[in-house]
Amino acid sequence: MDDLLARVERHVRAHLDEDIGRIQTLIRQPSISSENRGIRETATMLYNDFQALGCREARIFETPGHPIVYGHLDAGAPKTLIAYFMYDTEAILEDQPWIAPPLAGNLVDFPPFGRCIVGRGAINTKGPMGAFLNAARAIQAVGGPLPVNLKFVAEGEEELGSWNLGEFIRKNATMLAADALLFPMPRQEADGRVTVALGSRRGVIFELECNGELWGRGPAKFGIHSGNRSLVDSPVSRLIEAVASMATDNGNRVLIDGFYDGALPPDAEQNELLDRLATQWNEEAFRGKLGVHGLIDGLHGRAALQRLMFTPELNIRGFHGGDVRPGDVTVSMAVLPHRAVAKMSVSLVPNMNKEDVANKIRAHLDRHGYRDVKMTLRPGTTTEPGSWGRVSVKDDIVAALLATYERFGVAPEIWPISPGGWPGHLFQKYLGTSLVAGGVGHGGRAHSPNEYLVVDGNDRVKGLVDCEVGFAATMQAFARR
Amino acid sequence: MDDLLARVERHVRAHLDEDIGRIQTLIRQPSISSENRGIRETATMLYNDFQALGCREARIFETPGHPIVYGHLDAGAPKTLIAYFMYDTEAILEDQPWIAPPLAGNLVDFPPFGRCIVGRGAINTKGPMGAFLNAARAIQAVGGPLPVNLKFVAEGEEELGSWNLGEFIRKNATMLAADALLFPMPRQEADGRVTVALGSRRGVIFELECNGELWGRGPAKFGIHSGNRSLVDSPVSRLIEAVASMATDNGNRVLIDGFYDGALPPDAEQNELLDRLATQWNEEAFRGKLGVHGLIDGLHGRAALQRLMFTPELNIRGFHGGDVRPGDVTVSMAVLPHRAVAKMSVSLVPNMNKEDVANKIRAHLDRHGYRDVKMTLRPGTTTEPGSWGRVSVKDDIVAALLATYERFGVAPEIWPISPGGWPGHLFQKYLGTSLVAGGVGHGGRAHSPNEYLVVDGNDRVKGLVDCEVGFAATMQAFARR
């Protein structure tokens, strides 16, 4: 192993408890963007971290939403890498069972991985962010030098759709100039395989509401006694019918006119990647990780992979109306509710366009008589530049990541498109940088209960030490290309 | 005015603050049956009240659910009246705006009614129960005698569907023997009119659940990242389609085979009552009270009244799945939920049968491929004796109530069927007693925010003094028939 990486590894091993502690500190500071909970405190915490690391410039940039924290760690190196961070997390839903308090970041023995950090943000993405900062700190501690200059960009609205990030990049393109972007993210699966998903994409987040006031029928302002239902209309029933009109086959086949029009089928390179991936993909592990017995339409193998990456979806994130109290059938209020809300999203694939899709949804509702159903788009949906970005498997930052995996003996699967959304393409748009998300190590349950990041590891997945050394290795490999 | 009633009125006027205070005490003791909150404490409170009133026998009867409190106030009178009480209330939903704390029972100036008691249970039915007990206390305080013996039966599960009340009556028929039943309930509308709804009815309360475990598709145990939606099924979408399949026209036309089969059209007497009612009914006041701009199908007058009383309904009390957090579109979690629940009910009209309706719903789901959708009936649904009861406008207790209204100069509208549910028919079934709900005075917003009971009153609606004197008048009128 290179001298630098060997020194880093010794240092991390000797100081692992401190590294774990820094990740726990991040998790213990809530930063739930959708509830505006702890956002400002977390931004300040990161600002202090960037300063302590010796960033020449560290600054909290205000936006119309949550602030963006920037730090420039100038090592005098020829190349500069943007480390994209998100410091916000998803919420903690009440009906989700956690084995440890979600904001404690406790170390829990999680067979077969040994000790893991469990908590909201453990993998998505306070754990990886903390590990990357630990790696930079370790490089400095052992005398470095840092192989690349680092520009940290930490946003607090990733879970809201990054709706102020694009404008920030556009306005600060000179300051942000870099050679590539890395989203530090341990991507090993539980069985040790690792995936490299090329590019990034984003979707349309929206909400539908039906209420008696807008409709002019049903209770206008408050829920009323259900004994009136025979003569009074139900906004909940109306919204259920409106949502049901948008798709069939359990929501899997969208009936909105032109919904699938923009979706490009895989091109030659993507087909080749899909062919290869189909021979590597462990469907059972995929289902096991998510706790899913069977996939849509009973799909398997290549067909399943192609559907996951190349078919846009219409998802219902939540639906609520009237009595939403948990409990058994006795927890049931005799009410005719006055409103209902569907929280929805559409994931887009190339070459689809957000504004176009949003317009088609609105047109569908209007055409089916649901003019009164209020559709609210997430702010910024129609002004944001682009919904997806593509990169080549040959780009330097991708190659550096692949070299890292090779160094750790991990064979990568190349996914032509990232199924999950992240905003890398916004940087590509304004800075021209290539981008990739990755790292060795393992975590899981993003957006679910018992979100975790592996600390110990086993013979298949790497632990936190290798995760941090791996980030150093990727910096070094990128510097050498 | 009769000497007794004059004495009672003087007494109530002189002690009104105490009477208000007793009602407030009841409201301040929560008793939300669906949350098992404060039930036992409220039962004990009532037991003490019954004893303090001089009940020869007072007892808390255990049931498989919440206890029933019984008290027998023997006045040595020839006739005995059951006063049916419910000591439980509905819940307080979080999305409902209250002008005063719902468990404080504050006196609030509520134009045009003057002071009102505002709080959960103010009208449904701690206010009326307290007023009736105040009336009995006042009769005793002025030397009485009580015109009738009273048997108090106070259940704590009315809002759950009274599922242990039938068995209690069956087992204790001898103890409960009586000449009639009164459900004390100020029934004036805001414009002073009063309705007498004949008989009682009840419905089927049930819950539908779809989850990935039962379905064998979609996330089985917990919500997962929505980035997987293109390949993983959605239990929320499935339940929305299942519920949508059960009805059309915004839920107003039920598509379940045979759903309307048992429903009897109005008979000759009921048609006559409907004809007369149509000339009296103030539709505008009805809509105003409920905050409803327009009724189903734009119905008016007799057609509206007939639909309200003679058409069974399929109501969605609540629907929840995934992210049910309140807030704007930014409060939206990128989750593919693992389960969804629809809380539903069917109100029945004569001659429908609960078990039959429940079976038809299940058969509908099965026939449409929703065998995995779990349907849970409220306990007791299929074992309870009957779903509705009819009484004649000529029955003594109805006549006594009508005489009371006449005494107070209030012209009654006779409704052939009660739109709202209550369990009077269970007493009719086992004891053969006629039954009626009524009283002078006014309150409103049952099951809604800002539930209230009028204390002062105005030139149209009676206040609490008349409400209590009115209960004494009904006892007296019943005794004299």
Side-chain angles (χ1 to χ4, degrees):
Chain A
M1 196 181 269
D2 292 86
D3 176 53
L4 173 65
L5 300 186
R7 284 181 284 133
V8 166
E9 180 174 344
R10 274 196 303 276
H11 181 86
V12 171
R13 277 196 200 289
H15 297 83
L16 187 60
D17 286 348
E18 294 160 44
D19 285 11
I20 293 168
R22 275 189 287 262
I23 292 171
Q24 289 174 322
T25 299
L26 285 167
I27 291 174
R28 287 169 188 163
Q29 169 57 56
S31 58
I32 301 174
S33 47
S34 63
E35 298 173 3
N36 196 9
R37 181 173 173 200
I39 289 297
R40 182 69 50 177
E41 293 82 349
T42 312
T44 303
M45 183 181 278
L46 270 182
Y47 169 82
N48 291 334
D49 284 348
F50 293 170
Q51 283 213 317
L53 267 172
C55 282
R56 193 181 61 177
E57 194 188 346
R59 188 168 153 197
I60 296 179
F61 283 83
E62 296 303 325
T63 78
H66 300 326
I68 292 169
V69 192
Y70 172 75
H72 182 191
L73 196 56
D74 189 352
K79 284 192 177 173
T80 297
L81 191 63
I82 291 175
Y84 164 75
F85 294 145
M86 50 183 277
Y87 66 82
D88 64 327
T89 72
E90 271 295 5
I92 299 151
L93 296 188
E94 278 184 26
D95 71 335
Q96 308 255 330
W98 287 75
I99 56 167
L103 293 172
N106 286 346
L107 276 178
V108 176
D109 188 52
F110 223 46
F113 306 123
R115 291 177 306 156
C116 292
I117 299 172
V118 171
R120 180 53 86 224
I123 184 67
N124 185 205
T125 63
K126 287 176 168 175
M129 173 169 72
F132 190 89
L133 294 174
N134 286 337
R137 196 178 286 108
I139 294 171
Q140 293 178 324
V142 299
L146 267 173
V148 291
N149 312 309
L150 292 172
K151 291 184 175 175
F152 304 123
V153 177
E155 70 156 321
E157 299 181 318
E158 201 281 338
E159 298 296 2
L160 305 183
S162 307
W163 67 281
N164 289 295
L165 182 62
E167 181 61 12
F168 167 81
I169 300 168
R170 192 189 64 75
K171 284 203 301 205
N172 297 285
T174 306
M175 175 185 85
L176 296 174
D179 299 287
L181 178 147
L182 176 70
F183 183 13
M185 177 61 62
R187 291 284 301 251
Q188 283 190 282
E189 300 293 339
D191 60 4
R193 292 165 309 112
V194 75
T195 62
V196 178
L198 298 179
S200 67
R201 62 170 172 163
R202 225 40 188 290
V204 178
I205 299 166
F206 65 104
E207 182 178 290
L208 300 182
E209 174 174 349
C210 180
N211 69 57
E213 189 68 55
L214 293 172
W215 187 15
R217 288 164 60 180
K221 298 282 191 200
F222 49 84
I224 65 174
H225 195 299
S226 59
N228 300 291
R229 177 67 184 91
S230 284
L231 190 52
V232 179
D233 290 282
S234 163
V236 178
S237 286
R238 180 168 180 77
L239 188 61
I240 282 179
E241 291 183 12
V243 171
S245 79
M246 297 165 75
T248 186
D249 291 349
N250 303 304
N252 293 337
R253 192 156 58 84
V254 178
L255 299 175
I256 295 163
D257 274 2
F259 180 80
Y260 297 103
D261 281 358
L264 288 180
D267 64 17
E269 182 186 314
Q270 290 170 329
N271 268 319
E272 202 181 303
L273 288 171
L274 278 174
D275 289 341
R276 192 185 319 150
L277 182 56
T279 67
Q280 304 168 312
W281 189 49
N282 184 338
E283 180 194 320
E284 200 175 338
F286 176 85
R287 286 193 288 102
K289 178 177 70 170
L290 300 174
V292 170
H293 295 307
L295 301 176
I296 284 181
D297 296 336
L299 291 176
H300 298 286
R302 193 189 195 286
L305 289 164
Q306 182 164 335
R307 195 183 203 291
L308 178 58
M309 283 177 264
F310 290 89
T311 304
E313 61 167 60
L314 178 66
N315 183 40
I316 303 172
R317 297 170 158 208
F319 191 108
H320 65 93
D323 183 356
V324 299
R325 292 174 298 162
D328 69 15
V329 69
T330 61
V331 183
S332 176
M333 182 159 170
V335 70
L336 163 51
H338 68 299
R339 70 191 282 265
V341 171
K343 303 183 179 200
M344 305 183 70
S345 60
V346 173
S347 74
L348 305 186
V349 301
N351 211 10
M352 294 170 79
N353 170 286
K354 284 187 192 180
E355 192 168 3
D356 177 57
V357 168
N359 289 341
K360 284 170 176 166
I361 296 170
R362 180 72 261 174
H364 171 92
L365 292 170
D366 293 350
R367 198 176 308 123
H368 286 74
Y370 297 114
R371 282 187 186 278
D372 58 288
V373 171
K374 189 168 136 198
M375 176 177 176
T376 312
L377 293 169
R378 176 182 64 71
T381 299
T382 55
T383 54
E384 215 175 70
S387 311
W388 42 270
R390 290 184 60 171
V391 304
S392 165
V393 70
K394 301 182 193 76
D395 285 356
D396 281 352
I397 186 63
V398 181
L401 182 64
L402 293 175
T404 305
Y405 291 144
E406 194 175 353
R407 171 187 289 275
F408 283 87
V410 177
E413 296 173 3
I414 313 286
W415 289 46
I417 292 185
S418 168
W422 68 285
H425 52 278
L426 299 179
F427 293 87
Q428 187 178 42
K429 164 97 180 173
Y430 292 115
L431 308 177
T433 54
S434 184
L435 51 112
V436 78
V440 297
H442 171 63
R445 298 268 184 114
H447 298 205
S448 296
N450 300 324
E451 187 177 342
Y452 66 97
L453 174 71
V454 169
V455 170
D456 287 339
N458 55 28
D459 56 348
R460 286 177 296 180
V461 301
K462 304 294 179 188
L464 186 58
V465 172
D466 286 338
C467 173
E468 296 186 6
V469 176
F471 288 139
T474 303
M475 291 183 226
Q476 192 181 61
F478 181 69
R480 288 177 178 174
R481 289 193 69 91
Chain B
M1 196 179 267
D2 292 86
D3 176 53
L4 173 65
L5 299 186
R7 284 183 283 136
V8 166
E9 180 174 345
R10 275 195 302 276
H11 181 86
V12 171
R13 276 197 200 289
H15 297 83
L16 187 59
D17 287 348
E18 295 159 43
D19 284 11
I20 293 169
R22 275 188 286 262
I23 292 171
Q24 290 174 320
T25 300
L26 285 166
I27 291 173
R28 286 167 188 164
Q29 169 56 55
S31 58
I32 300 174
S33 47
S34 63
E35 299 173 1
N36 196 10
R37 181 173 173 199
I39 289 295
R40 182 68 50 178
E41 295 81 348
T42 313
T44 302
M45 183 181 278
L46 271 182
Y47 169 82
N48 291 334
D49 284 349
F50 293 169
Q51 282 213 317
L53 268 172
C55 282
R56 195 181 58 179
E57 194 187 345
R59 188 169 154 197
I60 296 179
F61 283 85
E62 297 302 326
T63 78
H66 300 328
I68 293 169
V69 193
Y70 173 74
H72 181 194
L73 196 55
D74 189 353
K79 285 191 177 173
T80 299
L81 192 62
I82 290 174
Y84 165 74
F85 295 143
M86 50 183 277
Y87 67 83
D88 65 325
T89 72
E90 271 296 5
I92 300 150
L93 296 187
E94 279 184 26
D95 70 337
Q96 309 255 331
W98 287 76
I99 57 167
L103 293 173
N106 286 347
L107 276 178
V108 176
D109 188 52
F110 223 47
F113 305 123
R115 291 177 307 157
C116 293
I117 299 172
V118 171
R120 181 52 86 223
I123 185 66
N124 186 203
T125 63
K126 288 176 169 177
M129 175 168 70
F132 190 87
L133 294 174
N134 286 338
R137 197 178 285 108
I139 294 172
Q140 293 178 326
V142 300
L146 268 172
V148 292
N149 311 309
L150 291 171
K151 291 184 175 175
F152 304 123
V153 178
E155 69 156 322
E157 299 181 319
E158 202 281 338
E159 299 296 3
L160 304 184
S162 307
W163 67 283
N164 289 295
L165 183 61
E167 181 61 11
F168 167 79
I169 300 168
R170 192 188 66 74
K171 283 205 298 204
N172 297 286
T174 306
M175 177 185 83
L176 296 173
D179 299 288
L181 178 148
L182 176 70
F183 183 15
M185 178 61 62
R187 290 286 300 251
Q188 284 191 281
E189 300 292 339
D191 59 5
R193 292 165 308 111
V194 74
T195 61
V196 178
L198 298 179
S200 67
R201 62 171 171 163
R202 225 41 187 291
V204 178
I205 301 166
F206 65 102
E207 184 178 289
L208 300 182
E209 174 175 348
C210 180
N211 69 58
E213 188 67 55
L214 292 173
W215 187 15
R217 288 163 61 179
K221 298 283 192 200
F222 49 85
I224 64 174
H225 196 299
S226 59
N228 300 291
R229 177 67 184 91
S230 285
L231 189 51
V232 179
D233 290 282
S234 164
V236 178
S237 286
R238 180 168 180 77
L239 188 61
I240 281 180
E241 291 184 13
V243 171
S245 79
M246 296 166 75
T248 186
D249 291 349
N250 303 304
N252 293 337
R253 192 156 58 82
V254 178
L255 299 175
I256 295 164
D257 274 0
F259 181 79
Y260 296 103
D261 281 357
L264 287 180
D267 64 17
E269 183 188 311
Q270 290 170 329
N271 268 317
E272 203 182 301
L273 288 171
L274 278 174
D275 289 340
R276 191 185 318 152
L277 182 57
T279 67
Q280 304 168 313
W281 189 49
N282 184 338
E283 179 194 320
E284 201 174 334
F286 175 86
R287 285 193 288 101
K289 179 177 69 171
L290 300 175
V292 170
H293 295 307
L295 302 175
I296 284 181
D297 296 335
L299 290 178
H300 298 286
R302 193 190 193 286
L305 290 163
Q306 182 164 337
R307 195 183 203 291
L308 178 58
M309 284 177 264
F310 290 89
T311 304
E313 60 167 59
L314 179 65
N315 183 41
I316 302 172
R317 298 170 158 206
F319 191 107
H320 64 93
D323 184 354
V324 299
R325 292 175 298 162
D328 69 15
V329 67
T330 61
V331 183
S332 178
M333 180 160 173
V335 69
L336 163 50
H338 68 298
R339 71 190 282 264
V341 171
K343 302 182 180 201
M344 306 184 71
S345 60
V346 173
S347 74
L348 304 186
V349 301
N351 210 8
M352 295 170 78
N353 169 286
K354 285 186 189 178
E355 192 169 2
D356 177 58
V357 168
N359 289 340
K360 284 169 176 167
I361 296 169
R362 181 71 262 175
H364 171 93
L365 293 169
D366 293 350
R367 198 175 309 123
H368 287 73
Y370 297 114
R371 283 188 184 278
D372 58 290
V373 171
K374 187 167 135 197
M375 175 177 178
T376 310
L377 293 169
R378 175 184 63 72
T381 299
T382 54
T383 54
E384 215 174 68
S387 311
W388 42 270
R390 290 185 59 174
V391 303
S392 165
V393 71
K394 300 182 193 79
D395 285 355
D396 281 352
I397 186 64
V398 181
L401 182 65
L402 293 175
T404 305
Y405 292 144
E406 194 176 352
R407 171 187 290 275
F408 283 87
V410 178
E413 296 172 2
I414 313 286
W415 289 47
I417 292 184
S418 168
W422 68 285
H425 53 278
L426 299 180
F427 293 87
Q428 189 179 40
K429 163 97 180 172
Y430 292 117
L431 308 177
T433 53
S434 184
L435 51 112
V436 78
V440 297
H442 172 64
R445 299 266 184 113
H447 297 205
S448 295
N450 300 324
E451 186 177 342
Y452 66 98
L453 174 71
V454 170
V455 169
D456 288 341
N458 56 26
D459 56 347
R460 287 176 296 180
V461 302
K462 303 296 179 188
L464 186 57
V465 173
D466 285 338
C467 174
E468 296 187 4
V469 176
F471 288 139
T474 303
M475 291 183 226
Q476 194 180 60
F478 181 67
R480 288 177 177 174
R481 290 192 68 89

